Amino acid sequence: MTVRLSRRHFVELAAGSTAALGMSLFKYPEFERLLAQSLQEVPVIWFQGSGCNGCSVSVLNTFPVTIQNLLLTEVVSGKHVSLRVHNTVMAAQGDLAMKALYDTETGPFALVVEGGIPLKDGGFYCEVGEKDGHGIPMTETIGRLGPKAIATIAIGTCASSGGISSTPPNIGEVVGVAEFYKQKGITTPVINVPGCPPHPDWFVGTLAQVLMNGPESVEVDEDLRPLAFYGKTIHDQCPRRGSFTANQFAKNFGEPDCLYLLGCKGPVTHADCNIRLWNNKTRWCIEAGAPCIGCAELKFPGHLGPIHEPIDLSKTLDKAAIGIAAAAAVVGVTAAAVTKSSGEKSGH
């Protein structure tokens, strides 16, 4: 007996699961027609390289827009993300997965890159897939996909600037997507969504903006980060800012004062963690008593200094953001703290 399927029922079923989409919905003869009528698909290739997959885990836990909403319903009115390729979560493996990649890149698609791109030895240190018995370097794949994509979102600090993978001595010669495109002469727009991992909202909001009005509509800073999420420093929005201004600094974890001397990178880190909150919007690092480690900065981690040592504010150009008077007061404290730390390391 043929089962009639209304659009309402279609949307309810589509919000269920990927498995349902693949196995249950196709028993309805009207499914494909309803899908075509209701939504415009935007194919997405999500390619993972030199990283830990933590960015995927973060985005998969998006809330209150769930991953089911993101993948199976309209992200913006009339448009639906069709995630065709994702190394970790796609059901296909081997040749079938590679076929999905090759089929998708024949038409318009958005490219999401997670992880850095190792350049050394022709990209030998990150191969994804194989052809004729030989591994395919990530450099070859991104070099081919990049010029075809309508836009590229570099998700996570590794994809944005190399991140942990490029920390000195960077033996794999890892770079971020924008630097890779620059070296290859690829002009496709790149939007960086750094963080280790990035907040799900940063990615979902950026993707929605790209779908609505194109990549050029996303206003970015000099590091290609969306200003909507990375426009202010953590320091600007910190509930302990008053302690900083009053020169009151915590010497031990658990104390209520400014965490600067315990290594907080808030004065130079641009992100809105304090209003976005993490773990289903319940907490953020400083509220939990931990210093900001600066993971949303492209210099993280190798060029921001040790996590639990204070940064030298006398070298930052962003004194307007941290407060010039307060910065001047803290410079002396910084010098003393850095000197003390150096002395302890040398055994003096």
Side-chain angles (χ1 to χ4, degrees):
M1 180 179 70
T2 301
V3 179
R4 301 292 300 177
L5 180 66
S6 67
R7 186 182 186 282
R8 179 180 178 183
H9 289 147
F10 160 71
V11 172
E12 289 175 351
L13 287 167
S17 68
T18 303
L21 183 64
M23 299 176 64
S24 299
L25 294 183
F26 284 103
K27 70 182 181 181
Y28 299 100
E30 300 163 279
F31 170 71
E32 292 187 22
R33 180 181 61 79
L34 284 168
L35 180 63
Q37 287 179 350
S38 59
L39 302 172
Q40 175 189 348
E41 285 196 340
V42 180
V44 171
I45 295 175
W46 184 311
F47 207 83
Q48 296 172 290
S50 182
C52 66
N53 295 347
C55 301
S56 286
V57 173
S58 180
V59 173
L60 288 171
N61 284 286
T62 179
F63 176 84
V65 177
T66 67
I67 193 63
Q68 287 89 349
N69 296 143
L70 183 63
L71 297 179
L72 299 174
T73 61
E74 298 171 69
V75 176
V76 296
S77 180
K79 294 189 177 180
H80 155 69
V81 171
S82 176
L83 184 60
R84 303 283 181 84
V85 175
H86 187 294
N87 306 33
T88 301
V89 303
M90 68 189 303
Q93 300 179 27
D95 291 341
L96 192 59
M98 297 305 293
K99 184 177 186 304
L101 173 66
Y102 296 141
D103 289 347
T104 302
E105 66 178 276
T106 59
F109 66 92
L111 177 62
V112 177
V113 180
E114 176 182 352
I117 306 174
L119 302 179
K120 189 174 183 179
D121 297 335
F124 170 78
Y125 298 99
C126 184
E127 295 181 337
V128 182
E130 64 175 29
K131 185 175 183 180
D132 300 328
H134 298 284
I136 303 173
M138 183 183 186
T139 50
E140 179 180 321
T141 304
I142 299 301
R144 187 182 72 250
L145 296 177
K148 300 177 183 177
I150 57 175
T152 299
I153 296 178
I155 184 168
T157 305
C158 291
S160 299
S161 60
I164 290 176
S165 300
S166 67
T167 297
N170 191 10
I171 57 176
E173 299 177 2
V174 177
V175 299
V177 177
E179 174 60 27
F180 180 76
Y181 278 15
K182 180 181 177 182
Q183 293 184 18
K184 298 296 181 182
I186 298 171
T187 58
T188 301
V190 176
I191 301 170
N192 288 329
V193 183
C196 191
H199 194 289
D201 288 3
W202 302 343
F203 173 73
V204 175
T206 301
L207 179 63
Q209 178 71 20
V210 170
L211 294 183
M212 283 190 293
N213 300 310
E216 295 81 7
S217 68
V218 181
E219 191 177 2
V220 298
D221 64 10
E222 61 183 6
D223 289 330
L224 305 180
R225 300 174 296 187
L227 285 172
F229 305 114
Y230 301 90
K232 295 182 179 178
T233 65
I234 292 291
H235 186 76
D236 278 340
Q237 310 161 85
C238 183
R240 302 191 188 205
R241 172 66 184 266
S243 296
F244 177 88
T245 304
N247 216 14
Q248 297 171 341
F249 301 99
K251 304 295 192 304
N252 301 288
F253 291 104
E255 296 177 357
D257 294 321
C258 176
L259 298 169
Y260 170 72
L261 293 182
L262 296 177
C264 185
K265 307 298 188 293
V268 296
T269 301
H270 296 75
D272 62 358
C273 301
N274 66 309
I275 60 173
R276 197 69 50 190
L277 304 181
W278 293 75
N279 299 328
N280 286 1
K281 302 186 183 301
T282 56
R283 287 286 186 274
W284 67 298
C285 296
I286 291 177
E287 183 184 10
C292 168
I293 62 173
C295 74
E297 288 298 308
L298 301 197
K299 291 181 179 179
F300 177 83
H303 301 284
L304 277 183
I307 286 179
H308 291 308
E309 290 186 11
I311 53 175
D312 186 355
L313 291 182
S314 66
K315 296 179 180 178
T316 180
L317 298 177
D318 208 3
K319 292 185 177 62
I322 64 173
I324 293 176
V330 164
V331 165
V333 180
T334 305
V338 171
T339 301
K340 179 182 177 184
S341 175
S342 299
E344 290 174 348
K345 286 182 178 178
S346 62
H348 297 298

